[in-house]
Amino acid sequence: MKKVKLSDVAAAAGVSSATVSLVLSDNADGRVSENVEKRVRAAATKLRYSPNLVARSLRTQKSKTIGLISDTVATTNFAGQMLAGAEETAWKRGWLIIFVDTSADSRNEERAINALLQRNVEGFIYASMFHRKLDYPPQLKYQPTIFLHCSLNSPDTHSSVVPDEYASASLAMDYLIKNGHREIGWIGITNPTVGGCERSRAYVDAMKKLKVTGYKSLMFNTFESYANDGYVGAMKLLKGARRPTALFCFSDRMAMGAYRAANEVGLRIPQEISIMGFDNQPHIAEALWPPLSTMQLPHYEMGTWAAERLIDELENQDSESILCEQKVITCKLIERDSVAPHHPMKG
Amino acid sequence: MKKVKLSDVAAAAGVSSATVSLVLSDNADGRVSENVEKRVRAAATKLRYSPNLVARSLRTQKSKTIGLISDTVATTNFAGQMLAGAEETAWKRGWLIIFVDTSADSRNEERAINALLQRNVEGFIYASMFHRKLDYPPQLKYQPTIFLHCSLNSPDTHSSVVPDEYASASLAMDYLIKNGHREIGWIGITNPTVGGCERSRAYVDAMKKLKVTGYKSLMFNTFESYANDGYVGAMKLLKGARRPTALFCFSDRMAMGAYRAANEVGLRIPQEISIMGFDNQPHIAEALWPPLSTMQLPHYEMGTWAAERLIDELENQDSESILCEQKVITCKLIERDSVAPHHPMKG
DNA sequence: TTCTCCTAGTTAATCGTTTAACCAGTTAAA
DNA sequence: TTTAACTGGTTAAACGATTAACTAGGAGAA
């Protein structure tokens, strides 16, 4: 049951292990006769040879392995999707990912990066669980690294990929506007995350462009974005003097609260009140009744992009053609049944 | 910026690298003078030496790395929790996890195991995304492996950890019964998964023990467990001739559908109808109104157990004291506000 | 004196690859 | 006839640790 190694193949084929190595790594351009090459390959497949990557890695300083370090517990499905996106594309390209979670503790982070470096990982993906800007983790500064779901304060040398919050929220607003809504309410958060700021900025700009006066009275913000916050906000807006015809919610969870409010106030969705979410939380957006129209965050795609990009960089280290890029990806509009056309004449 | 290696430390301390190795791996029992030991340690910390695990792994055949292979896309938060549990305990014990997802494709699985073996992983965690029984993946038969969220048809040599579906569902039934309910409805699935079978068996046994006659008319099963299936089932039960006072749902998603049904029928939760979920889906159970009482699946704990156990085995390979064990973990009852006492006299 | 046993290390083999440098035999060019 | 260039390989030195086997010098015992 011992693992078969290069020298076993060499012995079986009656050549030196150098020759086997040359053949098997396709470096045998004219250095090995067809005859010998055949023998070597036959022996290799017969013995089911598979190279020991640890030995190869020691020699070549390459490991075909990348380290993914995430700043916080990876238990959300969003985190899962980023991971899955990265892992799947890595796998497709013959790479593997070692994953470590630092719980946002910087001492831990240092140890983690070190543990990965000790294993000869060739590059890093640094993933954040919520969209934010950050400074270089010092040890990563000189390592090939892609920043995933976060961007750098000084993006001079490394690439990053984040969702385009502003464009996506604008898309959502366009959708409501296209459906005839002008009196659109906003239910959001004051917590100054990138998402919170950019989405509400998109709302404001759209309302300005629509020339809706006094739209500020149609906005309600809480610090957090739980269902109950959405409920409170929606109640305030729906029972207020100026009732919006549509509600744009910062998150699907808030939208879930808005559903409860609409229900309590006796407003039918979407006939009497349209509701738009954000995130496309699986199991919420679909499971609500009526199913929630929302924007799908590109977690999977971002994970994909990060891995693809990093591997590109690592596989073409010589050609300096690859520049650093700050990639943004726009969310996809998921049309379900919570938004209906509004006809001003009827209202 | 070159990495410092053993021989650099040796040169700095004025000794051979063998000596450095002995000192640094605490194998220097009486073979190295105190004086030299001090010098070596000083040099090592001064140069910030950290060993190259690839080289060490080549020599010792150990890698302090374990492979986690999962059978299907790891995008659910449940999968995330299992992963996080495994990764965190591994990390705490100085181990790292390489994670690969085989998309339930057995050819892929073979390649995955191979890719991990090539990297000298010392053992495996084989994780399933839904609770099931399976046969040995052939290549894993002779590898140290823990089966996570799945168990073996012939559990003779390897350990596994799964939730105790029957005991957990019994607990949920006990909770409803303790609250005075006898006419308890079941909303479940016919899909013959371990969870589906065991949970409904627990329901049936509890009803039998309660001596509720004709409880079969209180059961409704669909093939899948989406919110809409729960809605359909709850409508049938709530509008039927024999209206239950409590509903035990196979999943939180079905419970979500049951909420809609109760709402539509005009039954207040929990005053007029109690609802019990299963899974404790984050963002659903909490966000529903009223918050859903449910059973929390021990995903994180199972991940923890698997890693802990595997590392125990790997670190004490000599002592054969560790037997194979089929571990079951019972779910935790999460009391929220969807279950209220029922008073028979009042009904 | 000779033998044995410590002490405090060092030497060198080894893990399984890759790859630069070499080499013997032919063939082609000058 | 030299010289150079191929052809089809082989040898041996890495990569960076670990560890069994050795050693030099001194002490103690017979």
Side-chain angles (χ1 to χ4, degrees), chain A residues 225-329:
Chain A
S225 69
Y226 295 116
N228 198 56
D229 300 306
Y231 168 75
V232 172
M235 280 307 266
K236 185 141 183 178
L237 259 27
L238 294 182
K239 292 176 83 171
R242 184 176 176 184
R243 175 192 293 166
T245 64
L247 252 24
F248 179 23
C249 303
F250 167 76
S251 72
D252 285 359
R253 274 146 68 200
M254 293 190 106
M256 195 170 171
Y259 267 54
R260 177 155 78 92
N263 201 48
E264 206 166 308
V265 172
L267 253 28
R268 284 173 306 151
I269 308 168
Q271 296 89 340
E272 295 164 307
I273 179 80
S274 287
I275 297 186
M276 184 77 197
F278 208 109
D279 286 351
N280 198 30
Q281 286 261 11
H283 301 165
I284 292 194
E286 256 174 19
L288 280 171
W289 192 262
L292 177 68
S293 293
T294 189
M295 303 301 297
Q296 175 164 40
L297 283 168
H299 284 110
Y300 186 87
E301 292 80 357
M302 294 193 302
T304 294
W305 191 90
E308 205 79 70
R309 180 56 171 243
L310 180 58
I311 295 173
D312 280 349
E313 277 184 28
L314 296 174
E315 287 184 346
N316 315 306
Q317 273 175 328
D318 33 326
S319 84
E320 277 310 316
S321 60
I322 294 178
L323 299 167
C324 100
E325 178 180 355
Q326 312 309 313
K327 175 85 171 177
V328 294
I329 302 185

Side-chain angles (χ1 to χ4, degrees), chain B residues 5-6 21 49 52 59:
Chain B
K5 50 189 166 177
L6 206 56
S21 177
Y49 169 71
N52 180 323
R59 181 64 230 261

Side-chain angles (χ1 to χ4, degrees), chain B residues 69-72 76 78-79 82-83 125-134 146-152 159-165 193-195 199 278-279 297-303 305-306 327-329 331:
Chain B
I69 85 173
S70 75
D71 61 351
T72 178
T76 70
F78 290 155
M82 296 202 302
L83 265 181
I125 295 178
Y126 186 98
S128 168
M129 286 317 139
F130 68 97
H131 185 175
R132 64 196 175 104
K133 291 197 169 216
L134 43 74
I146 307 290
F147 291 84
L148 171 55
H149 207 200
C150 49
S151 54
L152 288 163
S159 298
S160 68
V161 53
V162 296
D164 191 333
E165 308 278 359
T193 59
V194 177
R199 292 178 203 174
F278 207 110
D279 286 351
L297 284 168
H299 284 109
Y300 186 87
E301 291 80 358
M302 294 192 303
W305 192 90
K327 175 86 171 175
V328 294
I329 302 185
C331 298

Side-chain angles (χ1 to χ4, degrees), chain A residues 47-65:
Chain A
L47 297 180
R48 301 168 144 277
Y49 170 72
S50 100
N52 179 324
L53 293 196
V54 170
R56 177 183 289 172
S57 174
L58 178 59
R59 179 63 231 258
T60 61
Q61 309 291 17
K62 312 231 170 289
S63 60
K64 284 240 168 194
T65 306

Side-chain angles (χ1 to χ4, degrees), chain A residues 132-206:
Chain A
R132 63 196 176 105
K133 291 196 169 215
L134 43 75
D135 291 318
Y136 279 111
Q139 305 167 83
L140 252 32
K141 182 128 196 184
Y142 300 107
Q143 299 289 339
T145 303
I146 308 289
F147 291 84
L148 170 55
H149 205 201
C150 50
S151 55
L152 289 163
N153 286 321
S154 52
D156 40 2
T157 53
H158 292 67
S159 298
S160 68
V161 54
V162 295
D164 192 333
E165 308 278 358
Y166 184 84
S168 305
S170 300
L171 230 54
M173 286 299 286
D174 285 351
Y175 177 61
L176 289 172
I177 294 164
K178 213 182 57 197
N179 270 279
H181 296 280
R182 293 190 80 248
E183 294 286 291
I184 301 171
W186 163 257
I187 296 179
I189 56 171
T190 56
N191 190 343
T193 60
V194 177
C197 300
E198 294 294 284
R199 293 180 202 171
S200 89
R201 193 162 65 81
Y203 166 83
V204 167
D205 286 357

Side-chain angles (χ1 to χ4, degrees), chain A residues 5-6 21 56 59:
Chain A
K5 49 191 166 178
L6 205 56
S21 176
R56 177 183 289 172
R59 179 63 231 258

